[in-house]
Amino acid sequence: MNFKEQLIEKTKEANQILQGFLPAEEGFPESLIRAMNYSMLAGGKRIRPILLMESYHLFGASAREEEAFMAAIEMIHTHSLIHDDLPAIDNDEYRRGKKTTHALFGEALGVLSGDALLNYAYETVLKTVCTWDAQRVPKGMRALQILASKTGVYGMLGGQSVDVLNEKNQGSALTEKELDYIYLNKTSALLEAPLMAGAVLAGASEEEIKGMEQIGRLTGLAFQIQDDILDQTSTTEELGKPVHSDEKNQKVTYVTLRGIDGAAAEVQRLTEEAVSLLDSMIQKRKQESGAGEETGVFLRELLLYMALRKN
C-alpha cells in the first residue's frame, strides 16, 4: 500500500473515531450542536489527529488510549477555523469547498459553536481520563496540559491575536521575527501538541517528547510558509478556500518578505531538518526496542506531504 492509499485509510479511521465523540443533535441547544457537528464533518485532511495517532504508535503503544485526544485536537483545530472565518477576522464564506459555519448558521452561532468546540475538546478528554486507573491518569493529565498550553494564550490563540493585529494594521511594521512568532504559535503549536501528546500517552522519554516538539515546530513553520505560497499560486478549486486572501487583507507573509522562490527554499530547509530529526528518533527506536522496518515510515512521508503539498 503506497502513502496515498495509507493516508486515505488513516483518514477514514480518524473520521470514524471523531464521529464517535461528537454530541447528539438534540435538546434545546440542538442548533448549536448542529453547527458544531457541521464544522467537524465538513471535510479536512485530519492531519492533527493522525499525527497524534502516529506519534502514539511510534513509541510502541497500542492500547487505543489516544482516541479521545485525537478527537480533542481536531475539535480545537476546527474551533480555530470557525473563528478565523468570522466577519471580524477573515470574513470568508467558504472553507474546504463548503459554506463556512457563520455563512450557513449565522454569525452568532458561528461564535458560539467555535467556543463550544473548544470547551467540548477538554470535556471529551477529561471524561475519558476520569475512567482510567490511577497509574494511567498522570499520562492523560500531562497530555491534556500540553493540548491546553499549546492552544491557549501562549500558543495558538496568542499567535492568532498577533496575526489579527497584523491584518488590522495592514502589516506595515511587521518584521520577520514577529511573523515567525505568529507562525510558531498559530500553526506550529497545533502540530507540536498532537506529536507531544501522542508521545506522552505512549510513555516516551522526556528527550523523545522534546524531539517530537521540535519536529512539530519545524514542520509547522514549513506548513504555514507553504500555505503562503499556495495562497499566491493555487486556485480556489484546488484549495477549497479563497486564494489571494493575504494580498486582499494586505498581510505580510514569507512570500511578501522573501518572494516565492525564497519562501520555497525555506520550506525545503525546514522540512529536511524535521525529517532528519525524525529519522534519528526512528533509528534509535529500532536499536533500543527492536522495532520493525515499517516503524515511522508513514509519519516520515506525512511530514513531507504536509510541507510540500500542492493543495
Side-chain angles (χ1 to χ4, degrees):
M1 189 181 295
N2 62 34
F3 169 74
K4 288 187 177 180
E5 291 171 335
Q6 284 184 294
L7 181 58
I8 290 171
E9 289 303 310
K10 289 179 184 292
T11 303
K12 288 179 181 177
E13 181 180 356
N15 278 323
Q16 290 173 350
I17 291 169
L18 299 179
Q19 289 175 28
F21 287 96
L22 295 181
E25 297 175 7
E26 58 189 17
F28 286 114
E30 179 182 354
S31 295
L32 172 62
I33 296 170
R34 279 197 298 111
M36 293 166 62
N37 290 349
Y38 168 80
S39 305
M40 285 290 291
L41 300 175
K45 299 181 178 71
R46 308 305 190 199
I47 293 294
R48 289 154 191 83
I50 292 173
L51 283 175
L52 199 152
M53 179 171 61
E54 291 304 305
S55 177
Y56 182 73
H57 292 308
L58 174 64
F59 296 102
S62 58
R64 307 191 74 83
E65 294 172 337
E66 84 283 19
E67 292 185 353
F69 291 85
M70 290 172 62
I73 193 65
E74 189 68 5
M75 290 173 190
I76 294 168
H77 174 55
T78 302
H79 135 267
S80 74
L81 300 182
I82 293 172
H83 282 185
D84 273 357
D85 292 333
L86 287 169
I89 302 183
D90 287 344
N91 196 25
D92 284 330
E93 291 196 4
Y94 287 92
R95 166 77 65 176
R96 296 165 175 167
K98 297 181 179 180
K99 282 282 190 178
T100 53
T101 308
H102 78 86
L104 192 62
F105 292 91
E107 187 174 353
L109 279 183
V111 173
L112 290 173
S113 62
D115 292 343
L117 275 175
L118 182 60
N119 195 77
Y120 201 69
Y122 303 127
E123 287 184 59
T124 297
V125 167
L126 287 169
K127 183 178 180 180
T128 297
V129 172
C130 283
T131 68
W132 290 1
D133 59 53
Q135 187 175 1
R136 293 186 296 160
V137 167
K139 290 193 303 182
M141 296 308 295
R142 170 86 186 280
L144 176 58
Q145 186 272 329
I146 289 169
L147 293 190
S149 64
K150 290 294 184 182
T151 58
V153 66
Y154 298 111
M156 177 188 70
L157 291 173
Q160 174 70 353
S161 71
V162 179
D163 191 34
V164 168
L165 291 176
N166 163 39
E167 190 171 314
K168 297 302 180 186
N169 294 330
Q170 298 182 337
S172 56
L174 196 70
T175 65
E176 188 167 315
K177 184 177 180 180
E178 292 168 321
L179 189 62
D180 282 345
Y181 174 85
I182 293 170
Y183 288 5
L184 287 170
N185 288 277
K186 181 181 176 182
T187 303
S188 287
L190 210 57
L191 299 182
E192 294 167 19
L195 288 169
M196 293 175 70
V200 166
L201 293 169
S205 69
E206 286 300 318
E207 181 184 358
E208 289 166 331
I209 294 165
K210 282 291 184 184
M212 298 308 281
E213 181 179 33
Q214 182 64 8
I215 289 168
R217 178 185 179 93
L218 294 165
T219 304
L221 271 175
F223 183 91
Q224 187 58 55
I225 297 169
Q226 184 69 3
D227 202 55
D228 292 347
I229 295 169
L230 292 174
D231 186 71
Q232 295 296 312
T233 62
S234 191
T235 66
T236 298
E237 290 72 25
E238 287 174 319
L239 287 185
K241 63 180 182 178
V243 294
H244 303 297
S245 59
D246 293 336
E247 183 178 358
K248 178 188 73 174
N249 294 320
Q250 296 181 289
K251 291 174 68 173
V252 173
T253 70
Y254 259 78
V255 172
T256 308
L257 296 173
R258 298 194 183 186
I260 289 177
D261 290 343
E266 185 65 2
V267 170
Q268 188 69 37
R269 184 189 72 79
L270 291 164
T271 303
E272 288 176 357
E273 189 175 344
V275 169
S276 176
L277 181 54
L278 179 62
D279 285 344
S280 296
M281 296 182 72
I282 292 170
Q283 189 60 35
K284 183 181 177 184
R285 285 290 302 158
K286 289 179 178 178
Q287 291 172 350
E288 293 182 351
S289 66
E293 285 302 312
E294 292 300 309
T295 300
V297 171
F298 176 81
L299 180 56
R300 186 183 195 277
E301 291 298 313
L302 182 58
L303 297 186
L304 291 169
Y305 163 77
M306 289 167 59
L308 304 174
R309 72 198 188 284
K310 301 301 179 184
N311 56 39

